[in-house]
Amino acid sequence: MNSQRSFYGFLVAGVIVLLLIGIAGFYWFFGKSPFNLSVPKSEPGAAIFVSKMSPVMVSLLINPDRLQAIEQKGDISKLKNSLLAKSNIDFQDDIKPWLSNEITLAVTSEDIDRDPENGLQPGYLMALSTEKPEKSREFVELLFSKRALAGANLAVEQYKGVKLLSDTPEVITPEKIQNRLAGAVVDNFVLFANDAKVLREAINNVQAPQLNLSDSPEYQKAVQELPKDAVAVAFLNLPIVAKWQGWELVESIYDSQIVSLVLNPQGLLAESTFLATTKVAPPSLLLSKPVGALHYIPESAGLAVGGVNLSNLGASDLAKLWKQGTATIYGSEEQAISRWVKPLVDFQKRWNLNLSKDIFSWVTGEYAIASLTEDNPLLANQANWMFVVEKTPQLETGIARLDNIAINNGFNVSSLILNKQKVSAWTELTATTEDKTAVNVEAKIGGVHTNIDNYEIFTSDLATMEKILTHQENSLVDDRNFQNSIATFPQSNQGYIYIDWKKSKNILESQLPILKFVEVLGKPLFDNLRSLTVSSYGSQPGTLKGGVFLQLNR
């Protein structure tokens, strides 16, 4: 084995690929397979090796080889073979005989020797649960023997009753330092690290429980939020993550985050819980059934958002999290919006409006916002919009405010009859003359709104309004894909964001160029993504809980 091809590098790459791509990529076959995927636990046992000061810990809680039983295209085999191709290690012969149901990767510290003057070198720890410790020891011995034969300097030591093996290259360079490897077998875990110091600290954490993550009150509270059938878990200590990444943590409200992945016959649910150690505002109002305003959204909608009370959005727990994250990473909320949601910035500039003051402030009841894609492929990058608002005492003032904004942008507010329904339209008339006797008048529509039942409905054009008035389409809430997506979440929630990927892909990519980069990273996932649904449903004080459901083609 080539000592410059670190086996530890394989482990890091392997667990990241499995968590971020592999799991999501092939589970659209789950519903077709007779294989019964049972998960014995949802709490990582390796947390006893990890310090309370660890920025992040990620765990796969199922044996990767068990995934082989349900995959249909050989993707897992290809992944394992490519990662092991240059290591002289065979997964089937060397690892499978002893690997159990957990692979955990942790960043143990931002700097191993805690001396910033010689540069920062994070500590990394990998823990693999083993069913056969003796076979595991044989594997570790063989691994380091091969590395020694390839030219690495092998060191052996006994530390608190545990045999530690480590190696360093003969010539020390920054690149070769990164290929250092240390290993040991402790009880039912095989440990690998990028430095023997990391292993010593891991052993100390076991023998002094007050040092390890399992003893942390924040972690104990977080794991109580985990579903029993999670196949992967990640825990983040947010202040330390910020420090590790060189960010200045400001507006600090939430101190930790735990994320879990759960599989079901329809797709993958990524559930996240943020926890605060200080008092925070109570959770937003939970709804017991889907927002009524969504019944007016046609099933052709590529994107739909439904909820209640936009006027309280700035004071909500979700807004506080957004403010903490954007201020920490980008310096301000405005900078984050300009980088990630530029179309929203352009929309406000074009209409000279402020969404918070001019729209959100008077929406105190139910609301739904949707983007409707065109059936014509030539117009695939265009979309019409609609906005549904429940009647409240503030509605009349809100409509007047929008009418004034339209007038200030050069439009007239006109009344029209459309399908026997009186509607208000924002029109801009343009007259042209072809000769002295003929005058052509063209009307540009900036928006249309009318009252239906207990809701005011706004659309971007007359054709969309006519489609709603004549019931040309079924409602989104009757669409099977939408029903399957929202069924994943608790009935009591704060609303939904729903994206039909096939219908929205082109327009989202044109508006958000960075999305194409994200697609490349998660190609197996996006190639089979049917829809993406987001919901928030936490009800406990001091926590913010929500999930993202990825519905996959089967």
Side-chain angles (χ1 to χ4, degrees), residues 248-473:
E248 182 182 355
L249 187 62
V250 293
E251 304 287 346
S252 179
I253 298 172
Y254 297 99
D255 301 283
S256 59
Q257 176 188 7
I258 195 158
V259 183
S260 63
L261 298 182
V262 177
L263 303 165
N264 70 30
Q266 298 295 331
L268 171 69
L269 173 65
E271 188 173 80
S272 180
T273 303
F274 292 86
L275 301 104
T277 55
T278 58
K279 290 184 178 181
V280 295
S284 302
L285 177 67
L286 294 179
L287 308 174
S288 58
K289 58 183 179 179
V291 175
L294 285 170
H295 285 82
Y296 297 90
I297 304 298
E299 64 180 354
S300 63
L303 181 150
V305 182
V308 173
N309 194 8
L310 281 173
S311 68
N312 189 49
L313 184 62
S316 67
D317 43 10
L318 187 60
K320 288 179 170 58
L321 174 63
W322 167 260
K323 190 173 183 180
Q324 174 178 330
T326 55
T328 298
I329 300 172
Y330 297 101
S332 69
E333 181 179 358
E334 292 73 18
Q335 284 291 328
I337 291 175
S338 66
R339 291 188 61 177
W340 287 91
V341 203
K342 190 175 184 298
L344 197 60
V345 176
D346 295 340
F347 176 79
Q348 293 186 88
K349 288 182 178 179
R350 184 168 67 250
W351 283 90
N352 192 27
L353 61 79
N354 181 298
L355 287 176
S356 297
K357 295 180 180 179
D358 297 326
I359 299 180
F360 295 172
S361 62
W362 51 268
V363 180
T364 57
E366 293 181 358
Y367 68 88
I369 305 168
S371 171
L372 281 65
T373 53
E374 293 284 352
D375 294 330
N376 187 344
L378 297 176
L379 301 175
N381 289 342
Q382 302 180 28
N384 300 319
W385 56 262
M386 62 179 299
F387 181 35
V388 183
V389 189
E390 186 182 17
K391 281 184 180 179
T392 62
Q394 296 83 6
L395 179 61
E396 187 175 341
T397 301
I399 294 174
R401 194 165 190 164
L402 292 182
D403 285 342
N404 285 332
I405 290 173
I407 292 171
N408 292 335
N409 280 275
F411 289 88
N412 300 305
V413 179
S414 308
S415 293
L416 305 172
I417 300 298
L418 181 66
N419 195 42
K420 299 181 181 181
Q421 171 86 17
K422 183 178 180 180
V423 301
S424 294
W426 304 325
T427 60
E428 183 181 57
L429 302 179
T430 303
T432 58
T433 57
E434 295 182 356
D435 51 47
K436 294 182 179 180
T437 60
V439 178
N440 294 326
V441 178
E442 296 182 354
K444 175 184 176 182
I445 303 294
V448 186
H449 63 91
T450 191
N451 173 255
I452 301 178
D453 300 327
N454 195 41
Y455 296 89
E456 188 75 15
I457 298 180
F458 299 79
T459 66
S460 58
D461 59 286
L462 286 170
T464 301
M465 182 62 77
E466 183 181 27
K467 184 182 293 187
I468 297 167
L469 294 175
T470 56
H471 305 287
Q472 294 179 19
E473 291 186 26

Side-chain angles (χ1 to χ4, degrees), residues 18 176 195 215 413 446-447 454 469 529:
L18 281 171
K176 292 182 178 180
D195 195 288
D215 194 58
V413 179
N454 195 41
L469 294 175
L529 182 61

Side-chain angles (χ1 to χ4, degrees), residues 116-137:
E117 293 185 2
N118 61 8
L120 298 179
Q121 184 187 2
Y124 298 106
L125 177 70
M126 175 70 73
L128 302 96
S129 62
T130 174
E131 295 177 330
K132 300 176 180 178
E134 285 305 317
K135 281 191 173 292
S136 304
R137 289 188 179 89

Side-chain angles (χ1 to χ4, degrees), residues 475-546:
S475 168
L476 177 65
V477 297
D478 296 322
D479 181 79
R480 179 172 296 179
N481 288 336
F482 179 77
Q483 291 177 347
N484 289 339
S485 294
I486 66 174
T488 311
F489 303 109
Q491 280 194 327
S492 296
N493 57 66
Q494 297 168 355
Y496 309 103
I497 300 174
Y498 174 78
I499 299 175
D500 185 301
W501 182 241
K502 183 179 179 180
K503 296 174 183 176
S504 302
K505 181 177 185 290
N506 289 334
I507 192 167
L508 288 175
E509 287 179 341
S510 66
Q511 296 293 325
L512 300 171
I514 196 172
L515 188 58
K516 292 184 178 180
F517 175 71
V518 176
E519 286 183 72
V520 171
L521 294 180
K523 192 176 187 301
L525 169 62
F526 283 93
D527 283 351
N528 295 278
L529 182 61
R530 175 180 292 177
S531 66
L532 183 152
T533 310
V534 183
S535 184
S536 175
Y537 40 85
S539 60
Q540 297 298 320
T543 66
L544 174 59
K545 190 169 189 175

Side-chain angles (χ1 to χ4, degrees), residues 228-247:
K228 294 180 180 179
D229 50 355
V231 297
V233 173
F235 177 78
L236 295 89
N237 189 324
L238 297 179
I240 300 178
V241 168
K243 183 181 178 183
W244 175 42
Q245 295 299 310
W247 299 330

Side-chain angles (χ1 to χ4, degrees), residues 4 153 167-178 180:
Q4 304 310 314
N153 294 321
D167 60 29
T168 56
E170 292 182 353
V171 179
I172 300 296
T173 65
E175 180 183 354
K176 292 182 178 180
I177 286 177
Q178 294 179 2
R180 289 188 302 188

